[in-house]
Amino acid sequence: MTRLKGRVTLATVAGSAGVSVATVSKVLNGRSDVSAVTRARVQEILEKHGYVGRRPDPVHRDTVELFYQGVLNAYSVQVIQGVVEAGQAEGVDVILNAHPPHPQASSSGRAARWIRTLIGNGRRAAIGLTSQLADADLAALARARLPLVVIDPANIPQPDVTSVGSTNFAGGMAAAQHLLSLGHRRIGYVGGQPTSGCNQARMSGFRSAMDAVGATVPSEYIWLSDFLYDDGVAGGSSLLDLRDRPTAIFAGSDEVALGILEAARARGLRVPEDLSLVGFDDTEVARLASPPLTTVRQPLREMGAVALRTALQLAAGEQVASHHVELATTLIVRGSAAPLELSSVAAS
């Protein structure tokens, strides 16, 4: 076959194949109303002469905004993976962006600009991950009728804000009950911000289990800052430097637990021989820690998936069963907690 000279067009391909331009167009667009013989001849000519037509119009896909504040860590990466995987299953693109913190006051203009950007970019819904949303953000989202779902909000959400979390109260209770079953009574808690809903629930579950057996929790046994490694180092150092230091600590996150492990190591204390430790989340770092962490597992990927599906329900104008969804937590026993009678604290 002689290669066509000059720019190859639909007309030149049609002339070479002895068919109409419409037939060539049908072949390019995958239409079924072309005979197999004709289709093969046209495709042969197209390939032979390297025909490059115009780019097809991009296929429109719905997009959802996933925003977060602070730094990404093992916890947030697993939740994000759950959102993205659910988005793939639903044929929805997930766009990840940082949402910087801002003062509660005088933020209405910034909130309006943010929402205009989301609407302009065609977002169907927004999902916030451990974000602290100001009233101005919520008002702007409501005015724009852009559905919002928050995963583990950093502040207590309004009753009509849809959120997804886990059974934090039950998880905190399970962590304390496990340490109590090992004979510990001097148990501390190192957790997140006092205003954080999930932190309040975990600490309340912890206190409830302690109260049930008449075990007191001195104020100096509670350290609240954030759910990060450095907070675990600082909180662990504070508790372990006490004259009557706790024999066990419940950490509000696995990352905090790693910080407590470092604080213990720096003081020559062994886990679990000198200090029993329970974390929260069951991220990858819990399994990789030395010793591996006993921890409360949150179904992090499922939380992300539920948030994505809920956001799409709201975007479609559907009613959701509840404004707050809690998924079950599970205690995972590994090697970071031991019976008190086996520890050097009990022997001393």
Side-chain angles (χ1 to χ4, degrees), residues 113 165 278 291 340:
R113 289 191 297 272
V278 175
L340 179 63

Side-chain angles (χ1 to χ4, degrees), residues 2-3 15 19 39-40 62 68 108 126 147-148 155 160 171 196 199 218 220 236 244 250 265 279 297-298 301 325 345:
T2 304
R3 186 178 181 87
V19 298
R39 182 184 303 279
D62 290 326
Y68 66 94
S108 58
L148 168 69
N155 53 341
D160 58 346
S196 166
N199 180 73
E220 59 268 27
D244 292 322
F250 169 37
R265 185 203 63 79
R297 174 180 292 166
Q298 293 195 87
R301 291 188 188 180
V325 178
V345 176

Side-chain angles (χ1 to χ4, degrees), residues 64-68 99 114-115 118 123-151 153 155 157-164 306-316 320 322-324:
V64 171
E65 181 89 359
L66 173 59
F67 61 90
Y68 66 94
H99 183 55
W114 174 51
I115 301 304
L118 296 184
R123 304 291 189 261
R124 287 197 65 196
I127 299 174
L129 174 56
T130 64
S131 293
Q132 184 167 359
L133 293 171
D135 291 340
D137 290 322
L138 299 175
L141 285 161
R143 285 195 301 271
R145 297 184 179 180
L146 188 67
L148 168 69
V149 177
V150 184
I151 303 170
N155 53 341
Q158 296 180 3
D160 58 346
V161 174
T162 303
S163 59
V164 176
V306 168
L308 186 282
R309 291 195 293 266
T310 302
L312 293 180
Q313 279 184 276
L314 293 172
V320 294
S322 173
H323 279 300
H324 182 62

Side-chain angles (χ1 to χ4, degrees), residues 3 54 153 213 292 295 327:
R3 186 178 181 87
R54 68 177 179 86
V213 298
T295 190
L327 304 183

Side-chain angles (χ1 to χ4, degrees), residues 74-75 78 254 281-289 300 334:
Y75 157 87
Q78 285 191 233
D254 292 342
D281 290 334
D282 196 31
T283 56
E284 185 70 6
V285 299
R287 186 179 61 83
L288 299 178
L300 299 177
R334 295 193 179 100

Side-chain angles (χ1 to χ4, degrees), residues 74-331:
Y75 157 87
S76 53
V77 167
Q78 285 191 233
V79 175
I80 290 168
Q81 188 168 354
V83 175
V84 172
E85 289 174 349
Q88 289 175 334
E90 298 290 342
V92 173
D93 289 331
V94 176
I95 309 300
L96 180 64
N97 274 309
H99 183 55
H102 54 81
Q104 179 78 12
S106 304
S107 60
S108 58
R110 185 217 55 81
R113 289 191 297 272
W114 174 51
I115 301 304
R116 282 198 300 270
T117 299
L118 296 184
I119 297 296
N121 289 333
R123 304 291 189 261
R124 287 197 65 196
I127 299 174
L129 174 56
T130 64
S131 293
Q132 184 167 359
L133 293 171
D135 291 340
D137 290 322
L138 299 175
L141 285 161
R143 285 195 301 271
R145 297 184 179 180
L146 188 67
L148 168 69
V149 177
V150 184
I151 303 170
D152 274 346
N155 53 341
I156 302 297
Q158 296 180 3
D160 58 346
V161 174
T162 303
S163 59
V164 176
S166 68
T167 53
N168 289 292
F169 181 91
M173 179 178 284
Q177 287 174 336
H178 178 65
L179 291 170
L180 289 166
S181 72
L182 295 174
H184 297 278
R185 291 298 181 270
R186 301 201 323 254
I187 306 173
Y189 175 73
V190 180
Q193 296 286 344
T195 57
S196 166
C198 62
N199 180 73
Q200 288 188 9
R202 290 169 200 176
M203 188 166 61
S204 295
F206 161 74
R207 285 188 178 277
S208 179
M210 297 291 284
D211 290 344
V213 298
T216 59
V217 184
S219 58
E220 59 268 27
Y221 275 22
I222 302 294
W223 176 279
L224 303 180
S225 181
D226 214 332
F227 289 123
L228 303 177
Y229 173 85
D230 289 342
D231 302 295
V233 174
S237 298
S238 177
L239 268 62
L240 295 178
D241 285 340
L242 294 172
R243 181 172 182 177
D244 292 322
R245 63 177 176 82
T247 63
I249 297 177
F250 169 37
S253 75
D254 292 342
E255 196 166 332
V256 166
L258 290 186
I260 296 171
L261 276 173
E262 173 55 25
R265 185 203 63 79
R267 287 159 177 76
L269 300 175
R270 300 163 300 165
V271 174
E273 292 86 355
D274 304 316
L275 174 72
S276 285
L277 183 62
V278 175
F280 203 101
D281 290 334
D282 196 31
T283 56
E284 185 70 6
V285 299
R287 186 179 61 83
L288 299 178
S290 180
L293 279 177
T294 291
T295 190
V296 177
R297 174 180 292 166
Q298 293 195 87
L300 299 177
R301 291 188 188 180
E302 187 178 352
M303 286 163 56
V306 168
L308 186 282
R309 291 195 293 266
T310 302
L312 293 180
Q313 279 184 276
L314 293 172
E318 300 175 10
Q319 295 292 322
V320 294
S322 173
H323 279 300
H324 182 62
V325 178
E326 288 189 347
L327 304 183
T329 52
T330 308
L331 180 70

